[in-house]
Amino acid sequence: MRIGIDRMAFATTNDYLDLVELAKERGVDPNKFTIGIGQDLQAVVPPTQDIVTLGATAAKKLLTPELEKNISTVIVATESGIDNSKASAIYIKHLLGLSDFTRTVEMKEACYSATAAIQFAKGVVALNPQETVLVIAADIARYGLNTPGEVTQGAGAVAMLISQNPHILTLEDTTVAYSKDIMDFWRPLYATEALVDGKYSTNVYIEFFLQTFTRYQQLTGRELADFAALTFHMPFTKMGKKGLEGLLKDRNDEVAQRLRTQLTASQLFSRQVGNLYTGSLYLSLMSLLQNSDLRAGSRIGLFSYGSGAEGEFYTGILEDGYEHYMNNIQEELKHRHQVSVAEYEKLFSSQLGMNDRDIEFDVTNDPLPFVLKGQKDHQRIYEAK
């Protein structure tokens, strides 16, 4: 039985910040952001949006009444949880109007957990081939205003349906997971922004990629020539380049050139949105598929990484007509609204966060189909517009 990713959809906020403008405001050479980090634009989050609304918006783009009937499970992977107990998947299931006979759960392991969710979903479908699992990777990356990590912020969600006979990517059986207790990035319960050792985290990322890919080769006997492309978790696009170059080194043959070209295709959307944490690898995959000419039957390698730390390398085979089962991301990004640095700073500081007071947001100007209206009696209030 073939099991894999049947459909994919991406959603982000309606507002974005030009990082050249941010660089000028911060007194930094813009090339440090656009070339050194590899980012051009960054999604800006209004207080009326969070992982629940973004996740529901992404899922709404791929669901039809017929597809909804087969969804048995909703898994939300996030490190931006809105409750220490209640799963964000329950809120999303309610907003989408899915059957109450639906399993709902939230998963966490930094940026990695969406990959674990996909592997678990594959197991559900293997046991119950008639079922479909909705996996949503939704996050808001925050490091604080005028901090070293500010340029690697972002927000968005990728929704995926995992089923038998998939239309996009059939997952192959061999996967390699690798984990160690490492303090390269973490967020204590009392903090709304993450703590990170950037240089150390980059080195760990590269090490985990090389460890998992080498182990994968040992198990399968496959070589680089067997891959049409490699995709990477991209908290910033330069990170994916560092991972690939750590493997290729000085190699410059036809295979190496092809992998570098496909990496560029996979970076395009991330450059315009920023860091999605759990969704970054899967936005990278969608960018690759929508900005390259890969053919059905091509093998794609996926490297997932979450600080703390866990990595996994696995593979999939492209299906015929895959391009028809995703939303057109580039077209949607064209219609966003640019905000000034001052507007961005105001929106950044207006988030609900750990506020325990009743608050009501003005949702009038938010064009997304789902919004966070505020909080009352310690309960978040969501609305489908």
Side-chain angles (χ1 to χ4, degrees):
M1 176 171 40
R2 295 185 299 106
I3 301 174
I5 302 174
D6 183 61
R7 284 167 170 78
M8 302 182 77
F10 169 71
T12 188
T13 62
N14 188 56
D15 298 323
Y16 74 91
L17 175 67
D18 188 323
L19 294 180
V20 171
E21 296 302 315
L22 180 65
K24 292 177 180 177
E25 182 69 24
R26 299 293 186 248
V28 175
D29 180 353
N31 288 336
K32 181 178 180 181
F33 290 174
T34 60
I35 298 175
I37 301 295
Q39 298 298 127
D40 296 323
L41 309 175
Q42 184 179 105
V44 174
V45 186
T48 51
Q49 292 295 317
D50 65 6
I51 61 163
V52 169
T53 58
L54 291 171
T57 298
K60 181 181 175 66
K61 294 179 181 182
L62 55 71
L63 291 180
T64 65
E66 191 63 30
L67 290 171
E68 289 176 7
K69 294 177 183 178
N70 296 324
I71 294 177
S72 68
T73 303
V74 178
I75 307 176
V76 174
T78 186
E79 57 179 279
S80 310
I82 55 144
D83 191 287
N84 286 328
S85 177
K86 187 174 179 179
S88 53
I90 293 179
Y91 293 100
I92 292 176
K93 186 223 85 170
H94 174 73
L95 287 174
L96 294 174
L98 298 179
S99 167
D100 287 345
F101 292 101
T102 302
R103 181 185 298 111
T104 54
V105 68
E106 179 175 312
M107 297 183 62
K108 179 179 71 178
E109 178 17 59
C111 303
Y112 161 77
S113 59
T115 297
I118 288 173
Q119 300 298 348
F120 297 164
K122 183 180 177 183
V124 170
V125 176
L127 289 172
N128 304 281
Q130 76 282 4
E131 296 183 4
T132 297
V133 179
L134 172 59
V135 172
I136 299 171
D139 267 305
I140 297 172
R142 288 173 59 95
Y143 294 98
L145 300 176
N146 208 7
T147 63
E150 184 177 30
V151 68
T152 62
Q153 297 178 142
V158 176
M160 297 169 277
L161 292 181
I162 310 301
S163 71
Q164 67 169 328
N165 302 321
H167 286 99
I168 296 178
L169 195 71
T170 293
L171 302 181
E172 296 188 289
D173 289 337
T174 302
T175 71
V176 178
Y178 186 78
S179 61
K180 286 185 176 181
D181 186 358
I182 291 174
M183 299 302 291
D184 61 329
F185 172 107
W186 69 103
R187 181 167 69 84
L189 289 175
Y190 53 79
T192 56
E193 281 82 46
L195 303 174
V196 59
D197 184 338
K199 185 175 182 180
Y200 178 46
S201 188
T202 298
N203 291 336
V204 174
Y205 172 103
I206 296 170
E207 176 199 346
F208 274 45
F209 170 55
L210 296 177
Q211 289 280 3
T212 55
F213 185 77
T214 299
R215 178 63 173 162
Y216 175 86
Q217 287 185 300
Q218 293 170 347
L219 293 174
T220 64
R222 293 184 180 128
E223 302 294 334
L224 275 176
D226 296 315
F227 293 90
L230 298 177
T231 54
F232 294 82
H233 164 58
M234 289 185 192
F236 54 94
T237 63
K238 197 65 172 289
M239 184 77 99
K241 178 177 175 61
K242 288 177 181 290
L244 181 61
E245 294 304 328
L247 177 66
L248 296 179
K249 300 186 186 303
D250 295 328
R251 185 169 171 174
N252 199 34
D253 57 13
E254 182 181 348
V255 172
Q257 291 177 16
R258 181 183 74 240
L259 294 177
R260 290 187 176 105
T261 297
Q262 301 295 18
L263 175 71
T264 299
S266 73
Q267 293 172 320
L268 295 178
F269 293 157
S270 293
R271 291 189 71 96
Q272 300 177 63
V273 176
N275 193 352
L276 303 190
Y277 286 159
T278 53
S280 292
L281 168 61
Y282 300 98
L283 180 59
S284 169
L285 175 61
M286 293 183 76
S287 183
L288 170 70
L289 298 183
Q290 295 187 18
N291 293 291
S292 66
D293 56 356
L294 292 175
R295 297 179 179 178
S298 297
R299 175 175 288 110
I300 298 175
L302 300 95
F303 174 62
S304 180
Y305 176 78
S307 295
E310 185 154 4
E312 183 164 344
F313 184 83
Y314 69 113
T315 59
I317 304 297
L318 270 184
E319 293 295 328
D320 186 37
Y322 65 86
E323 64 273 16
H324 301 301
Y325 296 89
M326 299 174 283
N327 63 312
N328 187 328
I329 295 177
Q330 188 59 61
E331 185 61 31
E332 293 183 7
L333 291 178
K334 292 178 182 178
H335 301 288
R336 292 183 298 170
H337 168 250
Q338 182 177 347
V339 299
S340 66
V341 174
E343 290 172 316
Y344 144 71
E345 292 178 340
K346 181 179 179 180
L347 290 170
F348 185 93
S349 302
S350 300
Q351 300 296 304
L352 183 58
M354 294 185 176
N355 195 332
D356 64 354
R357 301 189 305 273
D358 289 354
I359 187 169
E360 184 175 354
F361 296 129
D362 181 3
V363 301
T364 307
N365 296 321
D366 193 324
L368 269 64
F370 302 102
V371 291
L372 171 62
K373 293 187 65 177
Q375 180 172 268
K376 186 174 182 180
D377 298 330
H378 306 284
Q379 300 176 38
R380 290 193 176 213
I381 309 299
Y382 294 101
E383 180 181 271
K385 297 181 73 176

